[in-house]
Amino acid sequence: MRFKSIFIIAVLFPLLCLSQQQVEKTKDTVLTQQLNEVVVTATRTIRQLSSLPLPAQLIARKELKETNRTRLNTILNEQTGLITVQNFIGGEGIQMQGLDSEYTLVLIDGVPLIGRSAGTLDLSRLSIGNIKQIEIVKGASSSLYGSEALGGVINIITEKSNKNGVHGNLMHRYGTFNENETNINLDYKKENVTLGAFVNRSSSDGYNLNNATNINTLDPYFNYTFNTRLNYNVTENTKFLASARYFLQDSDYIPTSTESGESKTREWNAHVKANHKYNEKWSSYFEFYASRYFAEDYLNNIEDNSQFSESFYKELLIRPEIRAAYKVNEKSSFIGGLGLDYETLKRTDFSTTPKFTSPFVYFQYDTNPNENLNILLGARFDGHNEYNSQFSPKAAFRYQITDKLAAKGSMGYGFKAPDFRQLYFDLEGIAGYTILGYNVVNTRVPEMLDSGEIENENDIVVPLSNFNGKLNPENSISYNFGVTHNPISTLKLEVNFFRNDIKDLIDTQLVANKTNGSGVYSYKNVKKAFTQGIEFNSSWRISNSLKIAGGYQFLLAKDKDAIEAFKNGDAFASNPGSGSFKLNEDDYFGLFNRSKHMANFKIFYTNTQHNFNTNLRVNYRSKYGILDTNSNTYLDRYDDFVEAYMLWNCAINKTFKEKYELGIGIDNIFDFTDEPTSNNDFTFINNIPGRIFYAKLNIQF
C-alpha cells in the first residue's frame, strides 16, 4: 500500500501543478470539442452527442491514441458500465448494463460483424489502429438495428483522410509476453477521390496463470488485418464508398495437458454504399454488405498423436439495404429503410445447413416541437423464416430545463433471435449426452427411439408436441432516464437510471432419458430476468492541459424465478459437516458474472510546449460469482466468489520533430492476478495476465 500511495502522489502532484498553464483558453477549447462530438449510431443521422435523447458514449481518436490501446476489448474495458468477460476459450465479449455479450450488436461503419460461434463475438480480434471513434448506445436499439441489439450497439467508425496527397504512419509496439503489434496506414487524396489502406499484425507468446497445471491461459497466436477503403464524390450531391476487410489468425490450441492442436480463423467483409441528395428535403442511399466467417480447429492426443477431435464453423451474411431521409422543415425529419438479411451456416454437429431469410423495414421521426424539447419515435418490423416476426418500437425525449440542466429518457423494445445452434444442433457429447436444436427434436427423438438409444416412450419427459411451434426470440423492454448538468463550461455531470425487463430467455431442458444413463437436451423459452441500476459519468477539464474523468455503475441483475424460489423457501445450500439448510431472500446474489459495483477514474495531461502527454487510468470491479459451487443452481452468498480488484494503467507519449512519437507505459501497474489454487479451483480470472511493460514507436509520413 505504501508503494501505491507514493506512486499516486508522484503522478498526480506534477500534473496538478502543470495544469495551470493556458487556463484562459480552456472555455473556448471545451466549446470547440463539444461541437466536434457528433455521432451517427444512435439515430442513423448525424447528431451532436450532447443533444441526443438516448444514453450514448463516444470514445474519440485522441483517447484511443494517448492510451496506447491496440485492441477493441482493452479500450472498452475502461468505459463506464462496460466489461469484457470470457465466455469461451480465447474469446472476450462485452457486457453492457449487466446484459450478456450476445445481446450487444457490434458494427464496423454501420454494418454488423459475424462469427458468434458460442453466442459471443470475440472483440480481441479487432485492431483499433485505423479507428476514428467508437460510438456506444446503451439500451434496446432493435427499432433501428433488429436482432442482437437487445442491450445496445457498439459502432466502430474507421478513419477517413481529409488531407490532400500521400501520407500515412507506421507504428510498432512491443510488450511483455513477446507481444508485438504493427500498423501501417496509407492514405491518398486528390480532388474527389480518397484511397486508404491499413495493415495490422499482432502476435503473442501467450501467458500461463494456472500454476496447478502446465497449460497456457492464453495460447500463442499471430493474426493479420487488411483493410482498404475508397471514397469517391461523383458530384457534390452523389457520393460513393467501397471498403473491404480481411482477418486471419492462427493459434495453438492446448485446452488440457493431454491434447494439443491448432486453431484457425478467417474472416472477410465487403461494403458498398452510394448516397444521393436530391434536394434540400430528400436524400437516400443504397448499401450492399457481405461477410463470411470461417473457423476450424483440431486436437490430437499428445501421447500417440492420434486425432482426438476436429470442428469447423462457416457463416455467411449478405445484406442489401436502401434508406431514405425526408426533412419536413427545420424542426422535423423522417428516415425510413428496408432491407434483407440472408444468412447460412455450415458447422460441425449440425443436422442440416440452415438458411435464415429476414426481411426488415423501419422508420424514425425526429422532431423539436419547441427549442427546449426533442422527441424521437421509431419502430422496426423484422420477418423471419424460422422464428416469430418481431415489431420493435422505441420512444425517446430530451428536455432542456435550463441552459445548464437537461433531462432525457427512452423506452424501447429489443430482441435477440434464436441462433443457429439453438435451432439446429445435433451434438453427441463425449459423456454420452445429446443436445438437439429446437427444430430437430421432432425428427431425431423418434429416430433415437427406433435405434434403441431411448428405450421407450415413457423415457420422453417432454411431449414432442411442445416442439411443433417456433422458439421465440429473447426480448426485453428497456427503460432509461437521465439528467445532464453542466454547472460550468468545463464540467459535465451525467446520471442515468436504467432497467431491462427480459423474458423468453432461452434455456436448456431435459427432453428424454437415454439407455446409457445420459440425457437428451434441447432448448425452451422460460426464464425471466431483469437488470437495473444507475450510471454516473463526470468530466472536468481543469485547463487546456489537464482533464479528469470518472464513472460509476451500480447494478442489480437477477433471475425472477430464482427470486421466487428464495422467497418461497425452495432454495437450499449445504456446508461440509453441517448438511443442507434453507436459504432466505437476502442470500440470493444475482446472475453469474455480474458485479454490483464498477468504477473508473482517468487523468489526462498534455504539454503542448514540450510535445508530450501522459495519463493514468484506474478501473475497479467488485466481487462476482462465475459458477455455482454448492450445487443448488443459484448464485448465493455461500458460493465462492472472485474478489474485488483494481487495475491501474499509465502511458507517456513524446513527439519529436513533429513526425516521430515514442510511447511507453505499464498496464496493470501493481501486477494484479487471480490464479487458481488447485486443479479444482474454477473461481478465478483468466483474462488478466499481470503486469505488462510496453514501448511504442509511431512515425508519420
Side-chain angles (χ1 to χ4, degrees):
M1 288 298 295
R2 184 179 180 184
F3 171 67
K4 185 180 292 187
S5 300
I6 294 172
F7 175 84
I8 296 170
I9 294 171
V11 171
L12 296 186
F13 182 73
L15 294 184
L16 289 172
C17 293
L18 291 168
S19 69
Q20 302 307 311
Q21 301 176 14
Q22 300 175 318
V23 174
E24 68 277 1
K25 298 181 181 178
T26 299
K27 184 174 180 179
D28 292 338
T29 301
V30 172
L31 291 175
T32 301
Q33 288 177 344
Q34 289 177 345
L35 290 173
N36 289 334
E37 290 183 337
V38 295
V39 296
V40 297
T41 309
T43 62
R44 285 200 168 184
T45 58
I46 298 175
R47 286 287 300 266
Q48 192 173 324
L49 178 64
S50 60
S51 72
L52 280 176
L54 304 168
Q57 290 177 241
L58 184 148
I59 309 174
R61 176 64 178 165
K62 188 174 187 292
E63 181 175 342
L64 297 176
K65 184 178 178 182
E66 291 182 356
T67 57
N68 294 333
R69 292 307 195 183
T70 59
R71 315 304 288 185
L72 181 61
N73 59 315
T74 58
I75 192 67
L76 292 180
N77 266 327
E78 298 185 355
Q79 311 307 312
T80 304
L82 301 182
I83 187 75
T84 58
V85 294
Q86 203 151 21
N87 289 11
F88 63 97
I89 295 175
E92 290 186 50
I94 194 71
Q95 188 184 103
M96 183 187 297
Q97 290 191 345
L99 295 171
D100 281 333
S101 57
E102 59 194 288
Y103 304 124
T104 298
L105 181 64
V106 180
L107 310 170
I108 291 184
D109 291 325
V111 289
L113 289 168
I114 61 173
R116 296 175 181 264
S117 58
T120 296
L121 187 71
D122 180 17
L123 301 181
S124 64
R125 78 180 197 238
L126 296 171
S127 168
I128 61 175
N130 66 332
I131 292 179
K132 175 185 176 183
Q133 63 188 45
I134 301 171
E135 300 176 2
I136 303 164
V137 181
K138 298 180 179 180
S141 300
S142 293
S143 62
L144 281 178
Y145 294 100
S147 180
E148 297 179 8
L150 182 151
V153 178
I154 296 174
N155 192 9
I156 304 157
I157 310 295
T158 57
E159 190 73 74
K160 174 189 173 184
S161 175
N162 293 315
K163 298 179 181 178
N164 287 319
V166 178
H167 55 90
N169 68 80
L170 170 66
M171 187 281 292
H172 182 77
R173 168 177 150 152
Y174 176 78
T176 308
F177 309 116
N178 197 26
E179 289 185 352
N180 285 274
E181 187 99 15
T182 304
N183 293 335
I184 300 175
N185 269 299
L186 288 172
D187 293 292
Y188 169 77
K189 186 176 188 299
K190 183 177 181 181
E191 297 178 350
N192 296 327
V193 177
T194 303
L195 293 171
F198 171 74
V199 180
N200 169 267
R201 185 188 189 278
S202 177
S203 65
S204 171
D205 287 348
Y207 57 87
N208 179 17
L209 291 183
N210 195 337
N211 292 329
T213 60
N214 188 27
I215 300 172
N216 280 334
T217 305
L218 176 67
D219 291 322
Y221 70 88
F222 70 86
N223 61 52
Y224 288 89
T225 301
F226 305 92
N227 198 181
T228 61
R229 177 173 180 151
L230 164 66
N231 291 86
Y232 176 46
N233 296 337
V234 183
T235 68
E236 185 178 347
N237 295 323
T238 304
K239 299 179 180 180
F240 176 80
L241 162 71
S243 66
R245 176 178 170 272
Y246 182 74
F247 171 83
L248 70 88
Q249 176 169 292
D250 289 349
S251 65
D252 292 345
Y253 181 27
I254 311 174
T256 72
S257 59
T258 58
E259 296 94 26
S260 68
E262 293 182 357
S263 176
K264 294 184 177 181
T265 301
R266 304 290 185 268
E267 175 195 10
W268 62 259
N269 53 58
H271 185 198
V272 177
K273 183 166 66 173
N275 299 282
H276 183 67
K277 183 178 180 181
Y278 301 95
N279 51 50
E280 292 302 317
K281 290 183 175 293
W282 280 101
S283 62
S284 68
Y285 88 71
F286 171 78
E287 181 176 61
F288 181 84
Y289 175 69
S291 181
R292 188 172 189 88
Y293 179 88
F294 170 76
E296 65 176 355
D297 59 64
Y298 73 86
L299 281 175
N300 290 342
N301 292 299
I302 294 177
E303 186 174 345
D304 58 6
N305 203 37
S306 61
Q307 188 175 80
F308 180 78
S309 68
E310 64 176 345
S311 64
F312 67 89
Y313 181 102
K314 299 178 181 178
E315 183 179 1
L316 172 69
L317 169 66
I318 298 175
R319 169 185 287 183
E321 181 180 341
I322 187 169
R323 182 193 312 160
Y326 177 65
K327 186 176 181 180
V328 181
N329 51 46
E330 292 300 321
K331 294 183 178 181
S332 301
S333 63
F334 286 93
I335 66 165
L338 56 90
L340 174 73
D341 283 344
Y342 174 78
E343 298 175 82
T344 65
L345 178 63
K346 296 180 180 180
R347 183 176 180 176
T348 309
D349 300 315
F350 264 35
S351 62
T352 184
T353 301
K355 297 179 181 179
F356 282 178
T357 304
S358 177
F360 59 86
V361 58
Y362 60 88
F363 78 92
Q364 178 180 271
Y365 177 55
D366 191 345
T367 183
N368 293 275
N370 58 57
E371 62 181 11
N372 294 324
L373 179 63
N374 176 225
I375 297 175
L376 198 69
L377 302 173
R380 173 168 163 148
F381 177 82
D382 287 84
H384 205 280
N385 63 317
E386 291 294 345
Y387 63 80
N388 293 328
S389 300
Q390 295 292 299
F391 178 71
S392 308
K394 187 167 189 174
F397 79 93
R398 182 182 185 277
Y399 186 74
Q400 191 72 40
I401 301 171
T402 69
D403 291 342
K404 299 179 179 180
L405 182 66
K408 58 185 177 181
S410 64
M411 180 175 69
Y413 175 88
F415 75 96
K416 165 69 171 61
D419 59 34
F420 289 110
R421 171 179 52 109
Q422 294 161 337
L423 295 179
Y424 295 105
F425 241 161
D426 189 351
L427 171 65
E428 191 75 25
I430 297 175
Y433 60 85
T434 299
I435 300 178
L436 300 177
Y438 184 90
N439 291 1
V440 180
V441 172
N442 275 333
T443 301
R444 286 288 289 122
V445 170
E447 291 177 356
M448 297 175 77
L449 269 172
D450 294 339
S451 66
E453 293 178 79
I454 299 174
E455 187 171 349
N456 56 59
E457 292 186 358
N458 292 331
D459 291 318
I460 301 175
V461 298
V462 176
L464 297 187
S465 59
N466 286 14
F467 298 90
N468 290 337
K470 292 184 177 182
L471 196 62
N472 291 326
E474 300 169 287
N475 57 85
S476 171
I477 303 295
S478 172
Y479 307 89
N480 285 272
F481 178 78
V483 175
T484 302
H485 184 43
N486 296 85
I488 55 177
S489 63
T490 57
L491 178 62
K492 182 178 181 180
L493 306 173
E494 290 182 300
V495 61
N496 183 60
F497 300 87
F498 63 87
R499 180 178 173 95
N500 297 284
D501 273 309
I502 316 156
K503 67 177 183 178
D504 283 338
L505 286 178
I506 297 174
D507 197 8
T508 56
Q509 64 173 333
L510 177 67
V511 176
N513 294 304
K514 299 177 69 174
T515 53
N516 64 5
S518 297
V520 179
Y521 298 89
S522 187
Y523 300 91
K524 62 178 179 178
N525 294 112
V526 281
K527 279 191 173 182
K528 296 181 179 180
F530 69 86
T531 70
Q532 67 180 29
I534 182 173
E535 189 174 287
F536 175 78
N537 280 289
S538 63
S539 176
W540 181 25
R541 183 165 291 279
I542 300 175
S543 72
N544 278 351
S545 301
L546 186 65
K547 176 184 175 182
I548 297 178
Y552 167 76
Q553 177 185 270
F554 173 75
L555 174 70
L556 294 176
K558 297 189 176 183
D559 184 325
K560 293 182 180 180
D561 292 334
I563 293 175
E564 287 299 313
F566 278 78
K567 184 177 180 180
N568 297 332
D570 296 329
F572 295 83
S574 59
N575 282 330
S578 61
S580 179
F581 58 94
K582 185 181 295 187
L583 298 171
N584 59 49
E585 292 182 66
D586 295 333
D587 292 326
Y588 180 44
F589 187 84
L591 298 179
F592 295 99
N593 215 344
R594 272 81 169 178
S595 296
K596 288 186 177 180
H597 309 279
M598 291 198 301
N600 65 79
F601 177 73
K602 306 173 186 177
I603 301 177
F604 291 89
Y605 172 74
T606 302
N607 187 308
T608 54
Q609 182 180 357
H610 299 289
N611 293 322
F612 83 90
N613 62 78
T614 184
N615 56 79
L616 174 69
R617 295 111 52 212
V618 186
N619 296 283
Y620 169 80
R621 185 179 185 186
S622 67
K623 75 173 187 177
Y624 60 97
I626 296 177
L627 47 81
D628 169 34
T629 57
N630 57 20
S631 303
N632 63 0
T633 73
Y634 304 112
L635 181 61
D636 59 71
R637 68 169 62 184
Y638 300 100
D639 282 306
D640 296 330
F641 287 82
V642 175
E643 293 302 319
Y645 65 88
M646 296 178 70
L647 297 178
W648 297 68
N649 308 302
C650 69
I652 302 173
N653 301 288
K654 166 69 175 175
T655 301
F656 301 90
K657 298 182 179 179
E658 297 184 353
K659 293 184 178 182
Y660 304 94
E661 183 182 59
L662 178 65
I664 58 173
I666 310 174
D667 292 340
N668 194 1
I669 295 169
F670 300 107
D671 198 24
F672 168 79
T673 57
D674 183 33
E675 301 182 5
T677 56
S678 69
N679 289 339
N680 297 319
D681 180 11
F682 300 103
T683 308
F684 68 97
I685 305 172
N686 61 351
N687 62 345
I688 299 178
R691 185 187 294 121
I692 294 177
F693 295 93
Y694 66 84
K696 180 195 78 170
L697 176 63
N698 189 72
I699 303 173
Q700 301 282 344
F701 56 86

